[in-house]
Amino acid sequence: MNVANPSIRDSSLVSEQEEESRDHHHDDLHHTSVDSLHPHIHSEESLKRIVNRLSRIEGHVRGIKSMVQQNTPCPDVLLQIAAVRGALDKVARIVLDEHLTECIARAAQEGNIDTEIAQLKAALDRFLP
């Protein structure tokens, strides 16, 4: 990235408050619902597909980190960040589609649809900007 740009901050200058905020958000990302009324069982093929996509995204993020460390021009870094966002959005669509077709459908059959819909709405409230 362009080190001469004063609007770009060195990661070592992150305030403690920003660090705590980031840590809190990180904890939110690992929060799992213990109130779910059914097991989230998905096919091996589905899980493999999602994990493979996430592994590619993980590699792409490491590539962006290297770009930053090598002072790659900011517009190039931003383009790569946009690509990762797009890839994450695709994974989210796959997860949502599976949740609707598998988990919500199963909950409807078991009579737990209201709880599942409420949990989905809560997740979407956090997921969507």
Side-chain angles (χ1 to χ4, degrees), residues 41-98:
I41 301 168
H42 299 279
S43 71
E44 280 294 317
E45 179 183 326
S46 170
L47 292 175
K48 185 176 179 180
R49 188 175 77 226
I50 292 169
V51 168
N52 285 342
R53 283 179 177 263
L54 290 170
S55 293
R56 284 194 303 270
I57 292 167
E58 183 180 26
H60 203 142
V61 170
R62 280 194 304 272
I64 295 170
K65 181 180 175 184
S66 294
M67 291 174 72
V68 170
Q69 291 169 331
Q70 295 167 5
N71 292 322
T72 301
C74 296
D76 295 342
V77 174
L78 291 172
L79 284 173
Q80 294 305 312
I81 291 171
V84 167
R85 280 183 175 170
L88 280 171
D89 286 344
K90 286 180 183 177
V91 171
R93 286 184 193 136
I94 292 169
V95 170
L96 178 58
D97 181 61
E98 284 216 3

Side-chain angles (χ1 to χ4, degrees), residues 1-47:
M1 294 179 85
N2 188 349
V3 178
N5 185 344
S7 66
I8 306 294
R9 298 184 326 173
D10 184 333
S11 63
S12 64
L13 301 177
V14 176
S15 72
E16 286 181 27
Q17 184 179 24
E18 289 171 321
E19 193 74 38
E20 288 174 15
S21 174
R22 205 172 37 218
D23 288 345
H24 176 70
H25 181 69
H26 181 73
D27 290 343
D28 289 347
L29 294 174
H30 287 95
H31 176 74
T32 57
S33 176
V34 293
D35 299 330
S36 184
L37 297 175
H38 74 275
H40 285 269
I41 301 168
H42 299 279
S43 71
E44 280 294 317
E45 179 183 326
S46 170
L47 292 175

